[in-house]
Amino acid sequence: MRANRIPTEEIRREPAAFDDRVTADGRFGRAAEPGRFRLVVSRACPWAHRVVVTRRLMGLEGAVSLAVTDPRQEDIDGDPHWVFTEETGSPGDRDPVLGIHALREAYLARDPHYDGGVSVPGLVDVDNGHLVSNDYDRLSLDMATEWGGLVRDGAPDLYPAPLRDEIEALGADVYRDLNNGVYRAGFAPDQAHYDAAVAGVFARLDALEERLAARRYLVGDTVTMADIRLFTTLVRFDSVYHGHFKCNIRKLAEYPALWAYARDLFQTPGFGDTTDHDHIRIHYYYVHTGINPTRIIAAGPDPRGWLTAHHREELGGSPFGAGTAPGPVPEGERV
């Protein structure tokens, strides 16, 4: 389903069109090399945001460069496309490294006959301009576990082996009811589909509120992939999912534990410093003309609330465990 059309059936996510893996040892055919790959993202997209957070926490900014598309997208042949514009730092409306205007060009460089959808994130091979992968989950996991000596000293263990089963079990529930559930509600084709989806969203939020009332992080005592997966939905909830997607039974700010948890993460290096509230609001309200035909962009909420005290440190735990916080955001990537 295209987001700029009136929904006629429940939204369904297509599997990643390209899912080549990049690892330090190159055992899947592609080796992680400094400067070899460029990560194309939209700062509005929660799925791309997962990879951006992981890249920053692991200190991979110097190994894989970042390209940011315009939040508004551009209509090409009747479909919206992720494009580079001067407004977002691309001279001549082309990415200065890849030389492309639309991410679709990297898809077609990989497969000239490709006629499917185009999604972010996209990992692109700088040498030949081919898309390597648009599999956001595998990209995150591999950057967290498979990039070997390219990660920074003090990088955290975001996917601890003893906790992986719990991380994945919880992640499946959160994906079904919340990460994807907000989209199923927002793009529901009828009342029955909306009612079912929104009920699932708030049942999951209620369960997470209870889980986080007495523990600082979702799984274990440090930040893990489970927290990254949840954060990128929570940080968009009150600004776009609550109003634009009609998930308005309660606001995130009305959940004491969840709201404090989200602020705790936001104030942790790697999370808030990769979040662009303006891109989020602009993209959702401008691009989804099927549910917002006027393209009027909502003004709020005030993002300063994300910087208020959370007191979650009183629950124990520490964000990076035996590791350390990442250094300053690179100059060209500040939001």
Side-chain angles (χ1 to χ4, degrees), residues 74-89:
E74 178 181 309
D75 189 76
I76 301 175
D77 297 328
D79 287 325
H81 282 269
W82 304 104
V83 297
F84 299 99
T85 65
E86 295 207 11
E87 184 177 344
T88 52

Side-chain angles (χ1 to χ4, degrees), residues 173-230:
D173 290 340
V174 170
Y175 172 83
R176 180 191 62 242
D177 297 334
L178 186 56
N179 300 143
N180 196 47
V182 293
Y183 284 85
R184 290 172 47 236
F187 293 111
D190 53 48
Q191 190 70 47
H193 282 88
Y194 166 78
D195 289 343
V198 81
V201 166
F202 285 94
R204 183 55 52 193
L205 287 173
D206 291 347
L208 290 167
E209 172 74 7
E210 182 176 353
R211 183 182 182 97
L212 290 164
R215 58 192 301 165
R216 189 171 182 185
Y217 302 109
L218 282 174
V219 180
D221 297 322
T222 63
V223 166
T224 67
M225 194 60 65
D227 300 295
I228 295 172
R229 291 167 175 171
L230 177 57

Side-chain angles (χ1 to χ4, degrees), residues 4-77:
N4 62 338
R5 297 174 185 168
I6 296 174
T8 58
E9 60 182 22
E10 185 169 63
I11 187 171
R12 287 179 172 80
R13 296 199 175 277
E14 300 175 356
F18 302 100
D19 57 2
D20 290 6
R21 294 182 62 183
V22 178
T23 62
D25 59 10
R27 67 186 183 279
F28 297 106
R30 293 181 184 270
E33 305 171 21
R36 176 67 183 273
F37 302 101
R38 188 158 174 81
L39 181 65
V40 178
V41 303
S42 163
R43 291 206 180 271
C45 174
W47 318 103
H49 196 181
R50 295 182 181 192
V51 186
V52 175
V53 172
T54 304
R55 169 181 172 270
R56 171 134 171 74
L57 293 179
M58 301 307 292
L60 290 168
E61 296 102 320
V64 54
S65 60
L66 188 70
V68 178
T69 61
D70 193 290
R72 288 181 176 81
Q73 297 190 290
E74 178 181 309
D75 189 76
I76 301 175
D77 297 328

Side-chain angles (χ1 to χ4, degrees), residues 159-319:
Y159 200 52
L163 301 179
R164 289 181 184 180
D165 287 346
E166 186 177 0
I167 289 171
E168 290 305 324
L170 180 62
D173 290 340
V174 170
Y175 172 83
R176 180 191 62 242
D177 297 334
L178 186 56
N179 300 143
N180 196 47
V182 293
Y183 284 85
R184 290 172 47 236
F187 293 111
D190 53 48
Q191 190 70 47
H193 282 88
Y194 166 78
D195 289 343
V198 81
V201 166
F202 285 94
R204 183 55 52 193
L205 287 173
D206 291 347
L208 290 167
E209 172 74 7
E210 182 176 353
R211 183 182 182 97
L212 290 164
R215 58 192 301 165
R216 189 171 182 185
Y217 302 109
L218 282 174
V219 180
D221 297 322
T222 63
V223 166
T224 67
M225 194 60 65
D227 300 295
I228 295 172
R229 291 167 175 171
L230 177 57
F231 173 79
T232 60
T233 292
L234 294 184
V235 80
R236 289 159 173 77
F237 198 87
D238 285 2
S239 60
V240 290
Y241 301 147
H242 179 269
H244 184 55
F245 278 0
K246 306 181 186 71
C247 295
N248 59 358
I249 294 176
R250 284 177 292 280
K251 294 179 179 178
L252 173 64
E254 295 173 32
Y255 283 96
L258 261 178
W259 175 222
Y261 161 83
R263 299 199 314 277
D264 185 6
L265 290 178
F266 186 88
Q267 294 169 36
T268 299
F271 290 86
D273 56 23
T274 60
T275 301
D276 192 319
H277 291 290
D278 287 341
H279 274 219
I280 291 167
R281 288 183 302 102
I282 290 168
H283 172 77
Y284 279 86
Y285 282 101
Y286 185 88
V287 171
H288 299 156
T289 53
I291 54 177
N292 185 37
T294 63
R295 284 182 163 169
I296 294 172
I297 298 168
D302 188 337
R304 289 176 292 184
W306 285 94
L307 299 178
T308 58
H310 54 76
H311 305 294
R312 294 283 291 180
E313 65 278 358
E314 297 171 6
L315 295 174
S318 61

